[in-house]
Amino acid sequence: VATSVAELAKLVGGRVDGDGTRPVHGISSLAEAGPDQISFLANPRYAQQVLDTRAGAVVVDERFDGDVATTLIRCSNPDAALARIAEVFAPEGPVAAPGVHPTAVVSPTARLGEGVSVGAMTFIDDEVEIGPGTILRPNVTIGRGATLGGQCLIYPQVTIRERCRLGDRVIVHAGSVVGSDGFGYVMDEGRRIKVPQIGCVVLEDDVEIGANVTIDRARFGETRLERGVKIDNLVQIAHNVRIGEGTVIVSLCAIAGSTTLGKNCVLAGQVAIDGHLTIGDNVIMAAKSGVTKDVPSGSVIGGFPAQGHKADLRLKAELRRLAGSGGRLGAIERRLAALESPAAQNEGD
Amino acid sequence: VATSVAELAKLVGGRVDGDGTRPVHGISSLAEAGPDQISFLANPRYAQQVLDTRAGAVVVDERFDGDVATTLIRCSNPDAALARIAEVFAPEGPVAAPGVHPTAVVSPTARLGEGVSVGAMTFIDDEVEIGPGTILRPNVTIGRGATLGGQCLIYPQVTIRERCRLGDRVIVHAGSVVGSDGFGYVMDEGRRIKVPQIGCVVLEDDVEIGANVTIDRARFGETRLERGVKIDNLVQIAHNVRIGEGTVIVSLCAIAGSTTLGKNCVLAGQVAIDGHLTIGDNVIMAAKSGVTKDVPSGSVIGGFPAQGHKADLRLKAELRRLAGSGGRLGAIERRLAALESPAAQNEGD
Amino acid sequence: VATSVAELAKLVGGRVDGDGTRPVHGISSLAEAGPDQISFLANPRYAQQVLDTRAGAVVVDERFDGDVATTLIRCSNPDAALARIAEVFAPEGPVAAPGVHPTAVVSPTARLGEGVSVGAMTFIDDEVEIGPGTILRPNVTIGRGATLGGQCLIYPQVTIRERCRLGDRVIVHAGSVVGSDGFGYVMDEGRRIKVPQIGCVVLEDDVEIGANVTIDRARFGETRLERGVKIDNLVQIAHNVRIGEGTVIVSLCAIAGSTTLGKNCVLAGQVAIDGHLTIGDNVIMAAKSGVTKDVPSGSVIGGFPAQGHKADLRLKAELRRLAGSGGRLGAIERRLAALESPAAQNEGD
């Protein structure tokens, strides 16, 4: 792909500051871009890199005030501009021609929308419904009675179990499992008996699920991820969890059964949340948080058991300072004892 | 499925308290059930929900004493009753007709018991033995010389590596790997050399393995999960680990090599256990515990490094109280200095 | 396989101390080995086990000075000797005959080197290149334009996405995903937009990847694991991470985006490292570390936020001692108040 700085500026609604005729053949980071590539400054923290970059052009915020020779594209949202420009230079993806690969196995009772692409060795069970334009890559398994919306993209080795329902434009990365049995047993006369998990999983429109994620079906009812939820790799979502619109969960988190998360929360890596809790909207959880009780909307929390994030950081800092105090305490007690002794009192006389 | 309160009471050995002729068409939680559904009160904590439920009937403990208009089924173990009733209403599962799907690849030297079902695109290598009634879903891979008992259920995308042995009624959920190489290297003249992992994995009768779990084969000998062990999703079991009968492990735990767990232990989420340790029977580990030494039977532990769970909670609570003590210490020292100064002594005169 | 103590000693460059003619039919641990098996003492901590073993022979360090009747093979590196001897007794692996299984789907534009083995139901997309002697087990998916070196071993259910590049002798265990999209979104007018992840993953020679691992492709450029990196099961490597030669990462670790690790680091289980950090060479991280800032070469760290490992252990120990100090502080304050009171002063008179 070859284009120019001016054309890219037009694409992203930006303003050229420098030579708009400059040809652009690719996109890269400030550190790695060469003279025929465009780069971008998303985080002002890295402004120094704009001075040092070999990039032919750089996308910056319209208020950027660095004194640089490089051609700039100034725009109101460099992050969004980057996403759009990256699409221009994205290498051609896998060929996923509409139609069913001859080695795929599709039940005669499955219904496939227009333009659906079914990859090699993919299995589609009875009564499955798939919306128009959805792409199933090779070696995928779709269970009986599952429904997928339109324009979904299901990567290889994914399992979507029976009766799960996906909205439109849902992306599921390789190796993930949607609709595995919830982890539920009851004791009966000393033996552990499996509780049938007869519910399903619902992934609403625009949900994206990372690689090797596991999302358990509900015991009854649904495990539901609302519109636009984004899940990173290796995350565990237990049965009957509900995750609100736009919430983002980073890798290796675990949400235990029947917990509800609000909208637009952000969970950093390795967070664990107990079962049967209610987490509000816009909650931010620091990495490795362990959440043991309900959390009101707007909270920023951290630590285990989780508390306010600032309080948690302050606690850790204070404890580090305190850790040396064992000696201080002993010294104080010795000084006190000296003051309290009759001799001390006498000295005072 | 349609039945009545009286029939369900009979099924679970319970007693009807109200209208036994009431029709029941499904099962759901107290919050979600409608008038033609049955629900249950497993945890007395949620007794209030029995007052508010729209469910047509509720399964409760025989000693339940709430003053409610709803029809009740009283029984000695509502949990177990629930599991049984849920089976009644379970939707029909995937059709897994006995026989080998025409697209499956089964070695001529493999031996399949009566009624075995082999799904589409499933691969069964040489010398594999599979007991009667076992179901392999699509896209499964069974390695050379592995043996599976009867009535097992192996979900899609599972890999069972060569020479692993599964008992009867073992369930392995989608994407799990049984018998991957243990993680073992030795240094030789500055290079890291792989130690061959020539052992296997044994899963005894009634073991259930969640989705995307990894269980490494032994270096020599066996990695063994005894009868009735239940493993949640995304758990790592390293080489030569042994897990005692009935032990339950929640998601994202990691058990390092050669550690032995006793019977009927319960590990909450994200626990890590060091290698070469011995954990007794009936040990309970709180979420995120990090276990660094042997643990006697019957312990309840938590924290990192793990200690008694109550001691760990007390420690955390005390440290939170202490965290403000930096100022207290300084104030004490100032007061002491004042008392110790000659002036102070003089004042005292 | 049957051999003798003398032959095995010769193989590993060791010296027989005892009966070299003794036949050896297998290898096992000291605790489990029988009289026709060889075993080994790798860790001097377990020297006692050499006294108790029933093994026919034991490989020990040349300086081992236990007074035992058992035949010994003394050598300079018992660990490496063990690895070599284990190979002698490794059971025959899966049959992976050169050639393409008739059920595999290989694009006509893919190029396969001499002796390549492609398992049943494996899918190889357009323009893939695979070096000589590489083995792909069943149900593998290789994306468009990916390249694999020679003598690689790719286990079942693995996905290698488009344009990723593997060197020679790379091993990828079952269920792992190489080249999933990095987790990147930008906000644009209140909506979260996916940033195209147009880079790739490079695994250099002799890299080994455990089971159900996820390695994200770079946003631009590469996510790169240098020569000899070894990754355990269920590890998450985010986009644009670079991991230096010989580094070892144990299970359930998460490395966030754009972080660089040096050479020969060792990360124990469940470590998390923030994004955009630089970790030096030869850094050791204790289990469950949470790393929030750059780490100089040669550091041994632990805790969260991570600090020097010894300092972290000391901190934890001191805090446990301190935790009881709340009462001590109160007592001190009461004693101080008593000393400060006029009465006290009067008593002193």
Side-chain angles (χ1 to χ4, degrees):
Chain A
V1 185
T3 179
S4 70
V5 171
E7 282 176 59
L8 292 174
K10 196 173 152 194
L11 176 75
V12 301
R15 184 166 58 78
V16 177
D17 185 350
D19 175 11
T21 67
R22 238 190 131 86
V24 183
H25 292 86
I27 182 167
S28 195
S29 64
L30 287 168
E32 294 173 307
D36 62 347
Q37 291 184 306
I38 192 164
S39 192
F40 58 95
L41 176 68
N43 188 334
R45 237 174 85 192
Y46 302 120
Q48 173 62 34
Q49 292 185 17
V50 181
L51 300 178
D52 302 336
T53 187
R54 294 171 53 241
V58 180
V59 179
V60 297
D61 188 273
E62 50 201 5
R63 290 155 307 182
F64 175 76
D65 63 354
D67 182 17
V68 294
T70 315
T71 294
L72 303 175
I73 297 178
R74 294 176 179 279
C75 61
S76 59
N77 186 342
D79 277 330
L82 154 71
R84 281 191 146 178
I85 293 175
E87 270 170 26
V88 172
F89 297 108
E92 211 181 328
V95 179
V100 176
H101 192 278
T103 62
V105 174
V106 179
S107 161
T109 61
R111 281 178 291 172
L112 273 52
E114 204 175 341
V116 165
S117 169
V118 180
M121 272 88 66
T122 280
F123 176 76
I124 299 180
D125 212 335
D126 297 343
E127 295 153 40
V128 167
E129 279 187 55
I130 300 183
T134 283
I135 295 171
L136 307 178
R137 302 293 299 141
N139 282 314
V140 167
T141 304
I142 310 288
R144 183 181 184 181
T147 63
L148 285 71
Q151 307 295 338
C152 293
L153 175 50
I154 311 296
Y155 279 97
Q157 317 294 356
V158 164
T159 299
I160 296 175
R161 290 265 310 271
E162 58 275 14
R163 289 176 293 107
C164 293
R165 304 196 307 272
L166 280 61
D168 295 332
R169 297 173 303 279
V170 171
I171 301 173
V172 184
H173 286 280
S176 284
V177 178
V178 177
S180 35
D181 286 1
F183 194 63
Y185 304 91
V186 296
M187 294 304 289
D188 190 23
E189 295 167 17
R191 284 181 54 236
R192 197 167 266 115
I193 297 178
K194 181 174 173 68
V195 178
Q197 304 289 311
I198 67 183
C200 68
V201 174
V202 178
L203 306 180
E204 298 186 358
D205 296 347
D206 300 304
V207 165
E208 182 163 1
I209 305 293
N212 283 344
V213 166
T214 57
I215 306 179
D216 282 349
R217 65 197 311 108
R219 189 176 50 170
F220 322 124
E222 307 167 346
T223 303
R224 179 178 285 261
L225 278 59
E226 294 180 5
R227 174 191 286 263
V229 165
K230 311 293 185 190
I231 307 283
D232 198 359
N233 301 338
L234 293 171
V235 168
Q236 152 71 354
I237 313 281
H239 51 178
N240 294 85
V241 165
R242 184 175 184 117
I243 303 183
E245 214 175 302
T247 283
V248 170
I249 300 183
V250 171
S251 67
L252 290 161
C253 288
I255 320 292
S258 299
T259 280
T260 299
L261 272 80
K263 297 184 201 303
N264 297 314
C265 298
V266 177
L267 279 61
Q270 293 185 340
V271 166
I273 309 184
D274 263 5
H276 294 276
L277 298 184
T278 301
I279 312 297
D281 298 334
N282 301 302
V283 171
I284 296 175
M285 301 189 184
K288 289 183 181 281
S289 300
V291 182
T292 56
K293 48 188 187 185
D294 292 351
V295 179
S297 290
S299 307
V300 181
I301 62 173
F304 177 44
Q307 57 177 342
H309 184 48
K310 279 190 190 158
D312 183 59
L313 293 181
R314 201 164 48 228
L315 171 69
K316 284 174 178 152
E318 283 172 359
L319 289 178
R320 286 187 184 205
R321 275 194 298 272
L322 259 184
S325 314
R328 261 169 101 187
L329 270 175
I332 288 171
E333 285 165 330
R334 279 189 299 278
R335 287 161 67 188
L336 259 181
L339 285 170
E340 290 164 337
S341 71
Q345 301 307 328
N346 293 341
E347 265 177 49
D349 283 334
Chain B
V1 184
T3 179
S4 70
V5 171
E7 282 176 59
L8 293 174
K10 197 173 151 194
L11 176 75
V12 302
R15 184 166 57 81
V16 176
D17 186 349
D19 175 10
T21 67
R22 237 191 133 85
V24 183
H25 292 86
I27 182 168
S28 195
S29 64
L30 286 167
E32 294 173 308
D36 61 346
Q37 291 183 305
I38 192 165
S39 192
F40 58 97
L41 176 69
N43 188 335
R45 237 173 84 189
Y46 302 120
Q48 173 62 35
Q49 293 185 18
V50 180
L51 299 178
D52 302 336
T53 188
R54 295 171 53 242
V58 180
V59 179
V60 297
D61 189 273
E62 50 200 4
R63 291 155 307 184
F64 176 76
D65 64 354
D67 182 18
V68 295
T70 315
T71 295
L72 303 175
I73 297 178
R74 295 176 178 279
C75 61
S76 58
N77 187 341
D79 277 330
L82 154 70
R84 279 190 146 178
I85 293 175
E87 269 169 27
V88 172
F89 296 107
E92 212 180 328
V95 179
V100 176
H101 192 278
T103 61
V105 174
V106 179
S107 160
T109 61
R111 282 178 292 174
L112 274 51
E114 204 175 341
V116 165
S117 170
V118 179
M121 273 87 67
T122 280
F123 175 76
I124 299 180
D125 211 337
D126 297 343
E127 295 152 41
V128 166
E129 279 187 55
I130 300 182
T134 284
I135 295 172
L136 307 178
R137 301 292 300 139
N139 282 315
V140 167
T141 304
I142 309 289
R144 183 182 186 182
T147 64
L148 285 72
Q151 308 295 337
C152 293
L153 176 50
I154 312 296
Y155 280 97
Q157 317 293 357
V158 164
T159 299
I160 296 175
R161 288 266 309 271
E162 57 275 16
R163 288 177 294 107
C164 292
R165 304 197 305 274
L166 280 62
D168 294 333
R169 298 172 303 280
V170 171
I171 301 173
V172 184
H173 286 280
S176 284
V177 178
V178 177
S180 36
D181 286 2
F183 194 62
Y185 303 91
V186 296
M187 294 305 289
D188 190 23
E189 295 167 17
R191 282 182 55 238
R192 196 167 266 113
I193 297 179
K194 182 175 173 68
V195 178
Q197 303 289 311
I198 67 182
C200 68
V201 174
V202 179
L203 306 180
E204 297 187 359
D205 295 348
D206 300 304
V207 165
E208 182 163 2
I209 305 292
N212 283 344
V213 166
T214 57
I215 306 179
D216 282 348
R217 64 197 311 108
R219 189 174 51 168
F220 323 124
E222 307 167 347
T223 303
R224 180 177 284 262
L225 278 60
E226 294 181 6
R227 174 191 286 263
V229 166
K230 311 293 184 190
I231 308 282
D232 198 359
N233 302 337
L234 292 171
V235 168
Q236 151 71 355
I237 313 282
H239 51 179
N240 293 86
V241 164
R242 184 176 185 116
I243 303 182
E245 214 175 301
T247 283
V248 170
I249 301 184
V250 172
S251 67
L252 290 161
C253 289
I255 320 293
S258 299
T259 280
T260 298
L261 273 81
K263 297 184 202 304
N264 297 313
C265 298
V266 177
L267 280 61
Q270 294 186 338
V271 167
I273 309 184
D274 264 6
H276 294 275
L277 297 184
T278 301
I279 312 298
D281 297 335
N282 302 303
V283 171
I284 296 175
M285 301 189 184
K288 289 183 181 279
S289 300
V291 182
T292 55
K293 49 188 187 187
D294 292 351
V295 178
S297 290
S299 307
V300 181
I301 62 173
F304 177 45
Q307 58 176 343
H309 183 49
K310 279 189 190 159
D312 182 59
L313 292 181
R314 202 165 46 229
L315 172 69
K316 284 174 177 151
E318 283 172 359
L319 289 178
R320 286 188 183 204
R321 274 194 298 272
L322 258 185
S325 313
R328 262 168 101 188
L329 270 176
I332 288 171
E333 285 165 330
R334 279 189 299 278
R335 287 160 67 188
L336 259 181
L339 285 170
E340 289 164 338
S341 70
Q345 302 308 328
N346 292 342
E347 265 178 47
D349 285 333
Chain C
V1 186
T3 178
S4 70
V5 171
E7 282 176 59
L8 292 174
K10 196 173 152 193
L11 176 74
V12 301
R15 183 165 59 79
V16 177
D17 185 349
D19 175 9
T21 67
R22 237 191 132 84
V24 183
H25 293 86
I27 182 168
S28 195
S29 64
L30 286 167
E32 294 172 308
D36 61 347
Q37 292 184 305
I38 192 164
S39 192
F40 58 96
L41 177 68
N43 187 334
R45 238 173 84 190
Y46 302 119
Q48 173 62 35
Q49 292 185 17
V50 180
L51 300 178
D52 302 337
T53 188
R54 294 171 53 241
V58 180
V59 179
V60 297
D61 189 273
E62 50 200 4
R63 290 155 306 182
F64 174 77
D65 64 354
D67 182 17
V68 295
T70 315
T71 294
L72 303 175
I73 296 178
R74 294 176 178 279
C75 61
S76 59
N77 187 342
D79 277 329
L82 154 70
R84 280 190 146 179
I85 293 175
E87 269 170 26
V88 172
F89 296 107
E92 211 181 329
V95 179
V100 176
H101 192 278
T103 62
V105 174
V106 179
S107 160
T109 62
R111 281 178 292 174
L112 274 52
E114 203 175 342
V116 165
S117 170
V118 179
M121 273 87 68
T122 281
F123 175 76
I124 300 181
D125 212 336
D126 298 342
E127 295 151 41
V128 166
E129 279 187 55
I130 299 182
T134 284
I135 295 172
L136 307 178
R137 302 292 301 139
N139 282 315
V140 167
T141 304
I142 309 288
R144 182 181 186 182
T147 64
L148 284 72
Q151 308 294 338
C152 293
L153 176 50
I154 312 297
Y155 279 97
Q157 316 294 358
V158 165
T159 299
I160 296 176
R161 289 264 311 271
E162 58 275 16
R163 289 177 292 108
C164 292
R165 304 197 306 273
L166 280 61
D168 294 333
R169 297 173 303 279
V170 171
I171 300 173
V172 184
H173 286 280
S176 284
V177 178
V178 177
S180 35
D181 286 1
F183 194 62
Y185 304 91
V186 297
M187 294 304 289
D188 191 23
E189 295 167 15
R191 283 182 55 237
R192 197 167 266 114
I193 297 178
K194 182 174 172 67
V195 179
Q197 304 288 311
I198 66 182
C200 68
V201 174
V202 179
L203 306 180
E204 297 187 359
D205 295 348
D206 299 304
V207 165
E208 182 163 2
I209 305 293
N212 282 344
V213 167
T214 57
I215 306 180
D216 281 348
R217 64 196 312 108
R219 190 174 50 170
F220 323 124
E222 307 166 347
T223 303
R224 180 177 283 261
L225 278 59
E226 294 181 6
R227 174 191 286 263
V229 165
K230 310 293 184 189
I231 308 283
D232 198 358
N233 301 337
L234 293 171
V235 168
Q236 151 71 355
I237 313 281
H239 50 179
N240 293 84
V241 164
R242 184 174 185 117
I243 303 183
E245 214 174 301
T247 284
V248 170
I249 300 183
V250 171
S251 67
L252 290 161
C253 289
I255 320 292
S258 299
T259 280
T260 299
L261 273 80
K263 297 184 200 307
N264 298 313
C265 297
V266 177
L267 280 62
Q270 293 185 340
V271 167
I273 309 185
D274 263 5
H276 294 275
L277 298 184
T278 301
I279 312 299
D281 297 335
N282 302 303
V283 171
I284 296 175
M285 301 188 184
K288 290 183 181 280
S289 300
V291 182
T292 55
K293 49 189 187 184
D294 292 350
V295 179
S297 289
S299 307
V300 181
I301 63 173
F304 176 44
Q307 57 177 343
H309 183 49
K310 279 189 189 159
D312 182 60
L313 292 180
R314 201 165 46 229
L315 172 69
K316 284 174 177 153
E318 283 173 358
L319 290 178
R320 286 186 184 206
R321 275 194 298 272
L322 259 184
S325 313
R328 261 169 100 187
L329 269 177
I332 287 171
E333 285 165 330
R334 279 189 299 277
R335 286 160 68 187
L336 258 181
L339 286 170
E340 289 165 338
S341 70
Q345 301 307 327
N346 292 342
E347 265 177 48
D349 282 335

